[in-house]
Amino acid sequence: MKTDLTDTTASKINKALVQARRAIGTPAVGMVLTLVIVTDEENAYDALKAAGDASHEHPSRTLVVIKRVSRSPRDRTQSRLDAEVRVGADAGTGETVILRLHGEVVDHAQSVVLPLLLPDAPVVVWWPVNAPLDPAKDPLGALAQRRVTDTYACEKPVEELAARADAYTPGDTDLSWTRITPWRSMLAAALDQIACEVQGVEVEGEEFNPSCELLAMWLADRLDVPVKRSHSSGPGLTAVRMDTDCGPIVLDRADGSLATLSIQGQPKRAVALKRRDTAELIAEELRRLDPDDTYASALRYGVARLKSSGRTDAPAKGEREAVPAPVGSAAKAPASRATAQAPVKKAAAK
């Protein structure tokens, strides 16, 4: 069921939601959180589709904030709010409100969103594109317990990582980090199978892919060894090679779908390691709403220190300065949390 509201207010939108739920026979609100998507008209469809798919796992009220650009000076001084309310089959398993802001109200989006938040439910804000440099200080980001960005959508993603590290606030996360969860779990499981010491690591992937940098920083931070970052034609991450005193460990994925895990003295194994779509990434992020300390620790390690650690004249293990960052579980998914802590144990055992 869809309801279009032109030049409306937040109170009228709330009334439309109640009437729509009664019309389809579900007057109760069964949502577990509020997902606020801040995007532009160009990316609104893809973001809304991903949120709709993720709502099958996390029923939520989705508020899509689209800031429209006014063409004339007179239009920029006039405020107008248009809304589209979707309930039932048109909104997946949740409720969707598309908010189009015109004029001066563009600079006060939080005043429109605040009355539409579900009471006593967590709030997640997601910027598919054009995320602020400091999400926690953004007026909409200040309303949320969890703030999701995507440096892969930035023009200079690697430089963006440095800005994210400087402005990090507990609750911040990035889909570039979410993309490497299967890689981190697989590498941790591989190290857990053998008793050896890692001496060096090489991470291979696309040049301007922030997920490659984050994986390299995570390995350097956890294992306390030099990590070399090498480039390939992709897609995405293509290989991780770890030199150990028991022989090399290689996780190679050349086609973006199927990877091969090679451990010295063991037969090669094929591993499903496909590139996941945005809906799967958002669904994973919504599974946990507490601060991700592992992401914070890897992010604060820094791209500059990563480049320094990968040089041949890098300092010996144990000589680099300590990072004042919290240490948490190494993987996000609860099912793989115990396994993903293996790199921490290897580093501590040295």
Side-chain angles (χ1 to χ4, degrees), residues 32-33 53-54 56-58 122 124 146 148 173 178 181-182 276-290 331-337:
V32 298
L33 57 88
D53 293 341
H56 293 286
E57 184 175 342
H58 309 279
V124 179
R146 193 78 162 164
V148 184
T173 190
T178 316
T181 300
R276 299 181 294 170
D277 58 23
T278 306
E280 293 180 82
L281 302 177
I282 287 295
E284 179 181 329
E285 282 299 333
L286 297 181
R287 289 185 198 124
R288 58 173 298 173
L289 300 176
D290 57 315
K332 289 184 178 180
S336 59
R337 187 171 295 167

Side-chain angles (χ1 to χ4, degrees), residues 22-39:
R22 289 175 177 171
I24 63 174
T26 56
V29 178
M31 310 296 106
V32 298
L33 57 88
T34 303
L35 175 62
V36 181
I37 305 174
V38 187
T39 184

Side-chain angles (χ1 to χ4, degrees), residues 82 138 304:
D82 297 334
D138 183 84

Side-chain angles (χ1 to χ4, degrees), residues 51-110:
D53 293 341
S55 71
H56 293 286
E57 184 175 342
H58 309 279
S60 59
R61 173 176 290 180
T62 303
L63 306 178
V64 184
V65 179
I66 302 175
K67 300 179 180 180
R68 301 294 294 269
V69 178
S70 301
R71 298 181 179 180
S72 67
R74 187 180 69 175
D75 291 338
R76 285 193 288 269
T77 61
Q78 297 176 352
S79 298
R80 191 175 91 243
L81 171 63
D82 297 334
E84 180 183 335
V85 178
R86 300 180 183 180
V87 178
D90 294 315
T93 60
E95 301 172 343
T96 299
V97 180
I98 302 175
L99 305 168
R100 290 183 170 86
L101 282 58
H102 305 258
E104 292 182 343
V105 74
V106 167
D107 299 324
H108 305 281
Q110 73 279 7

